[in-house]
Amino acid sequence: MARPSEDWPGLAGLSPESDKYKLIKLILSSANFEHMKTLAINSRRRHQMDLPPDIDCNINLTQFTTGYNNLVLELGFSDNIYWIARIPYRTINDNTKTSLLSEIATMNIVRRYTSIPIPRIFDFEMSKEEPFGYPYVLMEYLGGRQLDNVLAKSIPQQYHTKVAKQLANVFAELQNLTFSRIGRLWCGETADQPVEIIPMAWHHSPGPLETSLEYFYNHQQGQNREIVGLHPSNADWLTACWVLKIALAHIVIEDRVRGPFPLCHLDLHFGNLLFDDEYNLTGVIDWSDAQAAPIEQLSVCPELVIFPGLSDEQNRPTVEFKKLVIQFVREMENEKAEEEEKRGGKTPLLDQQQGSMKQSQHLTRLSTYMASESAEIMHRQYMASPRGSLWAAKRVAKLIYGEHITWEQLSKVYGCKQLL
C-alpha cells in the first residue's frame, strides 16, 4: 500500500502570511508528538494483541495535508501499517467538540451496521489539557485516491457498471440505517453509549425534528429571509423565494413525512469517495455533516445530476450512470424486502427499542424517488445557496411548469407578493 503522505504538500501548500499557516506552525512546534507515538503504539496493542514488542511509530511532520478544519498527519509503523492523525487547528469550543463527537459516533455506527468502507477510529481526545496538547483523532488509512471529476466522466466506461453498483450499495445501506427523528447522532462523550438524536449544526430549525415538513419548510423559510435581506424589493429574487417555497409541495413524500429517517452523508460526491486502480471503492470519507434526515435528502448526490448548460450528448454519461445506480438500488431494496419477509419484520430504528415505533411495510422506496422528477427538484432546491437561489429557482420553475409558464409571468404574480 502506498504511503498516504506521498503527494502531500506540507507547508509548501500554504501561504506563509495566512492565519492557517501560523496555526499549523504552532501545532507542529508545540504539540507533544513523542506522546502521540506512544499513544498510537498502545492503541495498536489494544486492538492487536499479537503485535510484536519492538514495533515503532514515526510521525511525518514535513509532508502533511490540511482540510478546512484539520491538520492531517501520517503515522507510519515499522511494520508498514499507516494511520492518519486529524488535529483540529482552530479553537475547539463546545459546538465544534459536539460536531467532532457526533462525527465519530456516526462513523462507528456506519462501520458496525454496514459494509460501507469507512476508516476505523482507534483513539481520540477532545481536550487540549492532555499531554499531547491538542485534540486529535487517530484513524485507519484506507488507501485509494480521489478522482479529479464527477464519476461518470472520470471513470473509464468499462468500469461504470462496477462503480454504479458500489455507489448504489452506499445508498441502499444508508437507507436501512433508520432513526425516529431528524438530527445528528450522539453516543456520549466517549462515543460508545446508545445512540440518540441531537440538534443539527447548520439547519435554521436545529431540532431534533419530528417531520420532513418541518425540516424542509423551516429551512427554506430561513433561506428566504436571507435572500430578501440581500435583495430587498427585487422582483426576480422575491419570485425565486416563492418558487423555491412552492417546490416543497413537489419534494415531500407523503408516506415518509414522519419517517423513518435514514442516515444521510450530505456531501456524497467524487471528492469524498476513494478508489483503487481497479475502481474498487476503498473509502467513503468526511462524515462531518452526516445526520438522520428525510429520505428525500438521501437522494441528493451531485454525481447523479445533469448540467443544464451542457448538451444532451454531453450529459449522456451522467444520465446512463444514474440509471445504473437506480437499477442496483432497486435490486438491493428487493433483496432487503425478501430478507425482512423471511425474518418476519422490519429492522428496528437505531435510536429506539425494537417495536417502539411501528413501521409500514409499504413505504416509498429510495429508488422510486431517485427515478422521479421530484429528486432533481429536491437537488436544485437543497443545493441553492441564498446567493445562487435565482438561478436554481429558474431551473426549478422549468421542472415544475415546463415551457408553458415563463419566468416573466411568474414574476408578475410573485414579484410583488409579500413573502409569508
Side-chain angles (χ1 to χ4, degrees):
M1 181 184 293
R3 295 181 59 171
S5 66
E6 215 166 67
D7 300 314
W8 290 354
L11 286 174
L14 301 171
S15 168
E17 287 76 33
S18 68
D19 289 339
K20 184 175 181 179
Y21 179 97
K22 295 169 186 174
L23 290 169
I24 288 171
K25 280 277 286 186
L26 178 63
I27 293 174
L28 295 175
S29 62
S30 62
N32 187 346
F33 287 104
E34 289 301 318
H35 180 71
M36 177 171 277
K37 291 177 186 179
T38 303
L39 279 171
I41 292 171
N42 291 340
S43 183
R44 272 201 72 184
R45 292 196 191 285
R46 287 196 302 273
H47 292 94
Q48 187 179 341
M49 303 300 291
D50 60 347
L51 195 68
D54 60 345
I55 199 76
D56 195 14
C57 177
N58 180 62
I59 301 177
N60 190 339
L61 300 181
T62 57
Q63 287 178 280
F64 55 83
T65 190
T66 60
Y68 183 72
N69 293 308
N70 297 296
L71 165 65
V72 181
L73 297 170
E74 170 195 283
L75 277 65
F77 294 92
S78 52
D79 58 352
N80 295 320
I81 295 296
Y82 295 100
W83 285 7
I84 296 295
R86 274 176 45 186
I87 305 169
Y89 60 81
R90 302 179 191 275
T91 302
I92 291 285
N93 56 32
D94 288 344
N95 289 335
T96 52
K97 178 181 174 182
T98 298
S99 294
L100 280 167
L101 287 170
S102 176
E103 181 182 5
I104 290 168
T106 301
M107 292 174 69
N108 287 341
I109 287 168
V110 173
R111 275 189 57 84
R112 178 179 178 184
Y113 290 102
T114 79
S115 65
I116 297 170
I118 186 172
R120 181 179 183 181
I121 294 174
F122 295 109
D123 204 351
F124 65 89
E125 176 58 59
M126 293 294 112
S127 173
K128 64 180 182 180
E129 307 303 328
E130 295 302 312
F132 178 66
Y134 294 90
Y136 63 84
V137 180
L138 303 183
M139 63 177 66
E140 178 183 13
Y141 170 59
L142 296 175
R145 60 187 174 88
Q146 294 172 315
L147 302 179
D148 297 326
N149 202 344
V150 294
L151 303 184
K153 294 186 177 181
S154 57
I155 292 174
Q157 182 65 43
Q158 65 266 32
Y159 291 103
H160 275 208
T161 299
K162 178 180 184 177
V163 172
K165 188 170 186 178
Q166 293 176 97
L167 184 59
N169 183 66
V170 174
F171 281 115
E173 295 216 59
L174 290 180
Q175 181 181 198
N176 294 328
L177 288 181
T178 52
F179 303 85
S180 63
R181 295 191 296 170
I182 299 168
R184 289 180 292 176
L185 311 191
W186 178 258
C187 293
E189 298 276 345
T190 53
D192 59 359
Q193 302 301 304
V195 64
E196 58 181 292
I197 302 299
I198 64 170
M200 294 169 278
W202 58 273
H203 200 277
H204 285 277
S205 295
L209 301 177
E210 306 288 339
T211 70
S212 60
L213 288 173
E214 296 173 276
Y215 179 82
F216 292 122
Y217 183 84
N218 293 350
H219 186 64
Q220 188 57 53
Q221 284 291 83
Q223 293 273 87
N224 283 350
R225 286 191 290 271
E226 289 187 39
I227 294 168
V228 170
L230 290 168
H231 306 279
S233 304
N234 185 296
D236 275 342
W237 285 92
L238 189 55
T239 303
C241 290
W242 276 105
V243 168
L244 293 175
K245 186 175 178 179
I246 291 166
L248 297 175
H250 297 263
I251 289 171
V252 176
I253 304 171
E254 184 177 354
D255 62 23
R256 288 279 196 164
V257 167
R258 296 191 174 277
F261 304 108
L263 182 65
C264 297
H265 182 281
L266 292 192
D267 201 17
L268 199 59
H269 61 81
F270 70 91
N272 288 325
L273 303 171
L274 304 178
F275 294 92
D276 65 17
D277 291 339
E278 296 298 317
Y279 294 97
N280 297 300
L281 182 63
T282 62
V284 180
I285 60 174
D286 192 2
W287 294 80
S288 57
D289 293 323
Q291 63 184 48
I295 196 167
E296 297 94 327
Q297 181 76 74
L298 182 56
S299 75
V300 175
C301 177
E303 303 300 325
L304 307 180
V305 178
I306 62 169
F307 293 87
L310 300 182
S311 66
D312 289 346
E313 190 58 34
Q314 290 172 311
N315 276 315
R316 189 178 303 282
T318 300
V319 172
E320 296 303 321
F321 184 75
K322 179 179 179 178
K323 287 179 181 177
L324 283 172
V325 171
I326 294 172
Q327 172 192 326
F328 286 124
V329 172
R330 186 177 294 114
E331 291 174 4
M332 294 169 188
E333 289 169 337
N334 290 337
E335 291 172 5
K336 178 71 173 176
E338 290 175 7
E339 290 175 12
E340 289 176 339
E341 188 174 349
K342 289 178 183 177
R343 195 172 63 240
K346 290 255 184 196
T347 303
L349 306 180
L350 292 183
D351 60 329
Q352 294 194 347
Q353 297 299 316
Q354 185 159 3
S356 58
M357 178 178 177
K358 187 177 180 181
Q359 296 188 56
S360 169
Q361 299 292 319
H362 304 291
L363 296 173
T364 299
R365 293 178 173 182
L366 177 62
S367 63
T368 302
Y369 189 79
M370 291 173 77
S372 71
E373 196 172 70
S374 294
E376 186 177 353
I377 297 173
M378 171 74 245
H379 179 93
R380 303 296 177 192
Q381 201 250 19
Y382 169 73
M383 296 299 288
S385 68
R387 295 186 183 277
S389 290
L390 181 56
W391 180 89
K394 288 183 177 182
R395 177 62 184 168
V396 167
K398 284 191 177 296
L399 292 169
I400 294 175
Y401 303 111
E403 302 298 331
H404 305 293
I405 298 178
T406 66
W407 184 260
E408 289 69 27
Q409 289 172 317
L410 289 169
S411 187
K412 286 181 180 179
V413 176
Y414 296 109
C416 57
K417 185 178 176 64
Q418 182 180 357
L419 192 65
L420 302 177

